[in-house]
Amino acid sequence: MSWPALYAQLVGANRHSTSLGKIWLSVLFIFRVMVLMVAAETVWGDEQSDFVCNTLQPGCENVCYDQFFPVSHIRLWCLQLVFVAAPTLLVSMYVAYRNHGDKKKLLQISSRTGFLSSKSPEEELEALKRRRLPITGPLWWTYFISVVAKLLIEVGFMYALYVVYDGFQMPRLVQCDQWPCPNLVDCFISRPTEKTIFTVFMATASSICMVLNGAELAYLVTKAITR
Amino acid sequence: MPLTPPAEPDPEPKMNWASFYAVISGVNRHSTGIGRIWLSVLFIFRILVLVVAAESVWGDEKSGFTCNTQQPGCNSVCYDHFFPISHIRLWALQLILVSTPALLVAMHVAHRRHVDKRIYKLSGRTNPKDLEQIKSQKMKITGALWWTYVISLFFRVIFEVTFMYLFYMIYPGYKMIRLVKCDSYPCPNTVDCFVSRPTEKTVFTVFMLAVSGVCILLNIAEVVFLVGKACSKHLHDAGDTSMGAWIQQKLRLL
């Protein structure tokens, strides 16, 4: 299971999304997953090995690193992307359930009446699988709930990142006096500017996704009202 | 176009550039000839070179950056001062941003197909063969699609130029220096710091810059081609009118 496999799953669910949903998926995969995999992972690659403290005391670097980086940015972003992609699978599950129900009905009708329409049963079943369901009724509610969930998850993770790292900026120097450090030691973080740039980039991409989700909610609500 | 990445221990990043290629090359069918050349140049001379060669040159950029001091932290701080963002990351971001306007075109084509399908259904032609034909039909670059395409080309050029400018601002002169002098805290005084593989980095920077320039020229050529095509089509259609005939006559005299 990897990012391309997740992409394959989500693209399948994409057929029943609105246009905003499709744009959201592209932004997610190109500006967030791709950038994470291709660029950000190398920037954070040496975060612990290059975390250097001004002391020879064994264990001090480990302890200070652990104090200032309880969860790495990369792991937080990976979790965020996995959780944000999950509600879309709700929609695919509902569509699969609907298709299963309709398939059963179709088989019952064709066996009961014994009258074959112009198409054979296999063709009808294939058409059923390929059709695009309109976003009405229970599908509308499922879709609406999935978009609300995505929005809440995005907000939750952005807030968590902001709270754990006290803002989006990475400092060059942190001062640490945890045991076994002998006194207040200076510890230096590797590539702080590059990390700040990527943190701001990912936060911006996350905000764009939130705006798209908000717009999608507004669109769904207006569509339901006008109907 | 075969893209065969070399055997490396971690295949994940390459899988992503490959899936990115799959997404972007889908747009290829609706591009002009120059657009297809641009895409090939992008993938062969920029993404492939980045992944296969440039990443290993910059691989030890931090571990190979040595300062003439044993003061802990001085290396990190001086590296951060002189390399706020690595060339490799800038190029990766540049390539991603430059490729995305093509998706605008893909979205427009998908929208047009959707509209065509609806028209077909309303006119009663629900034959699956007709609907399949819409999918495989090559869209002509006319009307609103022409504007989307030209706007996407402008965005590509703007992104390319912006990144070239950013490069120039962060790394003046595009040349990688061998030695930098640094005196940020906690370095005890002005220390000499040595950059790893400066010549090889300069060579690759100049190469990527040159290919970026070639891509800009291809995009400009494509804009000129599209504008020329639209003008000639307009003149040909207006050939019946007196104004169109007058213009055509004047052009023949040139």
Side-chain angles (χ1 to χ4, degrees):
Chain A
M1 191 67 186
S2 56
W3 291 116
L6 181 70
Y7 178 71
Q9 285 278 339
L10 291 179
V11 156
N14 213 12
R15 295 182 54 232
H16 309 281
S17 309
T18 60
S19 322
L20 283 167
K22 291 175 189 170
I23 296 173
W24 172 85
L25 191 71
S26 309
V27 169
L28 186 84
F29 269 94
I30 295 178
F31 291 102
R32 295 172 77 181
V33 177
M34 256 223 88
V35 168
L36 183 77
M37 294 244 57
V38 160
E41 279 194 350
T42 19
V43 177
W44 268 266
D46 59 0
E47 53 179 334
Q48 192 172 11
S49 51
D50 266 359
F51 182 79
V52 164
C53 290
N54 190 2
T55 179
L56 285 179
Q57 172 65 45
C60 180
E61 277 178 11
N62 282 11
V63 162
C64 292
Y65 176 81
D66 188 59
Q67 187 195 20
F68 288 100
F69 300 101
V71 182
S72 167
H73 286 71
I74 298 285
R75 259 69 71 187
L76 266 177
W77 285 325
C78 283
L79 282 174
Q80 181 178 14
L81 293 169
V82 167
F83 274 87
V84 150
T88 315
L89 299 175
L90 251 184
V91 176
S92 2
M93 282 197 279
Y94 176 77
V95 166
Y97 165 76
R98 261 281 271 278
N99 282 345
H100 182 71
D102 289 348
K103 213 161 71 169
K104 263 193 176 167
K105 262 192 244 161
L106 193 75
L107 288 168
Q108 272 178 351
I109 293 171
S110 63
S111 67
R112 205 184 297 145
T113 59
F115 165 71
L116 288 166
S117 66
S118 55
K119 298 189 209 159
S120 74
E122 291 87 21
E123 281 181 15
E124 291 262 8
L125 289 170
E126 273 305 307
L128 195 105
K129 258 195 219 167
R130 271 189 275 122
R131 72 171 171 187
R132 191 192 155 185
L133 290 165
I135 304 178
T136 51
L139 181 59
W140 186 94
W141 281 106
T142 316
Y143 199 80
F144 186 81
I145 290 167
S146 80
V147 177
V148 168
K150 279 184 220 172
L151 195 62
L152 290 173
I153 290 168
E154 293 269 22
V155 171
F157 271 93
M158 285 262 279
Y159 180 70
L161 189 75
Y162 192 85
V163 160
V164 168
Y165 289 103
D166 212 14
F168 294 127
Q169 203 195 7
M170 186 67 82
R172 255 186 202 181
L173 162 73
V174 289
Q175 297 192 308
C176 168
D177 66 351
Q178 298 281 305
W179 186 87
C181 304
N183 47 40
L184 191 73
V185 295
D186 290 338
C187 293
F188 299 92
I189 296 171
S190 86
R191 313 182 201 249
T193 315
E194 209 166 355
K195 286 178 180 169
T196 307
I197 291 173
F198 275 95
T199 309
V200 168
F201 181 90
M202 294 294 271
T204 314
S206 187
S207 319
I208 293 173
C209 285
M210 282 196 261
V211 165
L212 284 169
N213 283 332
E216 207 175 353
L217 283 175
Y219 170 75
L220 283 171
V221 166
T222 26
K223 203 167 135 181
I225 291 174
T226 52
R227 226 182 325 115
Chain B
M1 208 188 321
L3 264 182
T4 45
E8 287 253 350
D10 180 20
E12 283 288 333
K14 273 153 214 115
M15 248 205 292
N16 260 299
W17 279 121
S19 43
F20 185 66
Y21 169 71
V23 169
I24 298 293
S25 61
V27 182
N28 220 5
R29 294 183 54 229
H30 312 285
S31 307
T32 60
I34 303 177
R36 291 177 197 173
I37 296 172
W38 172 83
L39 197 70
S40 308
V41 167
L42 185 86
F43 275 98
I44 296 176
F45 293 103
R46 294 175 80 180
I47 294 181
L48 192 62
V49 166
L50 183 80
V51 164
V52 162
E55 281 191 350
S56 17
V57 175
W58 268 266
D60 62 355
E61 52 177 337
K62 184 144 197 290
S63 50
F65 183 81
T66 340
C67 291
N68 189 3
T69 178
Q70 284 195 326
Q71 172 65 42
C74 181
N75 263 17
S76 287
V77 162
C78 291
Y79 177 82
D80 185 62
H81 184 257
F82 286 100
F83 301 102
I85 177 166
S86 166
H87 287 68
I88 297 285
R89 258 72 69 184
L90 266 178
W91 283 325
L93 282 176
Q94 181 180 12
L95 291 169
I96 292 172
L97 280 174
V98 153
S99 312
T100 38
L103 294 175
L104 262 179
V105 175
M107 285 196 270
H108 192 125
V109 165
H111 173 76
R112 241 204 204 174
R113 281 214 181 110
H114 185 69
V115 165
D116 284 347
K117 254 193 201 165
R118 269 211 179 147
I119 295 172
Y120 266 49
K121 281 197 177 136
L122 284 171
S123 65
R125 291 203 278 175
T126 49
N127 190 351
K129 262 198 195 157
D130 283 338
L131 298 170
E132 278 303 310
Q133 201 208 10
I134 297 178
K135 256 195 202 173
S136 53
Q137 190 184 54
K138 187 192 161 176
M139 289 276 158
K140 282 206 159 198
I141 304 177
T142 51
L145 183 60
W146 185 92
W147 282 104
T148 312
Y149 200 87
V150 171
I151 288 169
S152 81
L153 286 172
F154 271 121
F155 272 110
R156 277 186 217 169
V157 173
I158 288 168
F159 286 141
E160 293 268 22
V161 171
T162 310
F163 271 93
M164 295 224 328
Y165 178 69
L166 268 175
F167 254 106
Y168 191 78
M169 293 299 291
I170 301 174
Y171 300 107
Y174 300 116
K175 190 172 134 71
M176 186 61 84
I177 22 183
R178 264 187 196 176
L179 163 73
V180 290
K181 288 187 194 278
C182 169
D183 66 351
S184 326
Y185 176 84
C187 304
N189 46 41
T190 305
V191 296
D192 291 339
C193 294
F194 300 91
V195 177
S196 88
R197 311 181 203 249
T199 315
E200 206 168 357
K201 286 177 180 170
T202 308
V203 166
F204 273 95
T205 307
V206 169
F207 176 84
M208 294 294 268
L209 184 74
V211 181
S212 188
V214 166
C215 285
I216 292 177
L217 287 173
L218 283 170
N219 285 327
I220 294 174
E222 207 175 352
V223 171
V224 166
F225 169 74
L226 283 171
V227 168
K229 201 166 125 178
C231 282
S232 68
K233 183 170 175 283
H234 203 67
L235 277 174
H236 184 73
D237 288 346
D240 312 324
T241 69
S242 56
M243 181 64 152
W246 181 82
I247 294 174
Q248 275 183 336
Q249 195 198 28
K250 288 289 168 205
L251 286 173
R252 264 186 238 123
L253 288 171
L254 280 171

